[in-house]
Amino acid sequence: MDLDCLDLIGRCGPISPRALARQAGLHPATLTGILDRLERAGWVARERDTADRRAVLIRALPERNAELFRFYSGMNHAMDEICAEYTEAELDLLAGFLRRATGAGRDATAALADD
């Protein structure tokens, strides 16, 4: 779950802890533990929001990106080999399915958070 949150922060950040918890579908207390671990390990920083000094924003530390990419290099290479076996049309179909499935999951998570 830590890497999932780091990915969300990287894609959506800087982001408030509340918005991140909503995006990740996590209880705020659970998210606090994750953010503490990510901050101690040097992956994220908590900063004051310049628009509202009472608020905190979480941002990923881009200087660690190269290290993160190295962690996934083996999997990225394997995925490149798998994708090379499909035509562009097949990849477009798969990508469309994944976008729709992700959207459905996001919508379901948002509906649960609203309850």
Side-chain angles (χ1 to χ4, degrees):
M1 187 52 58
D2 292 21
L3 286 176
D4 292 334
C5 287
L6 181 58
D7 179 55
L8 281 170
I9 295 164
R11 286 187 291 118
C12 304
I15 189 169
S16 72
R18 175 176 287 201
L20 180 59
R22 201 171 316 120
Q23 286 276 337
L26 295 171
H27 188 277
T30 302
L31 181 65
T32 298
I34 291 170
L35 292 176
D36 287 346
R37 286 190 298 275
L38 290 173
E39 187 175 38
R40 270 194 312 273
W43 292 104
V44 300
R46 288 177 168 113
E47 300 173 342
R48 290 284 171 207
D49 184 347
T50 56
D52 178 359
R53 298 292 298 161
R54 297 168 296 167
V56 172
L57 293 175
I58 310 301
R59 72 173 179 86
L61 299 176
E63 57 270 18
R64 301 288 304 270
N65 284 350
E67 186 177 349
L68 195 57
F69 291 141
R70 276 194 307 277
F71 289 152
Y72 289 99
S73 65
M75 183 61 177
N76 288 341
H77 179 71
M79 291 301 293
D80 288 345
E81 288 181 354
I82 291 169
C83 289
E85 297 175 11
Y86 291 91
T87 67
E88 283 297 316
E90 290 170 328
L91 290 171
D92 286 343
L93 178 69
L94 290 168
F97 169 78
L98 292 172
R99 274 192 297 277
R100 291 179 65 201
T102 300
R106 190 177 307 116
D107 292 347
T109 300
L112 287 172
D114 291 339
D115 286 342

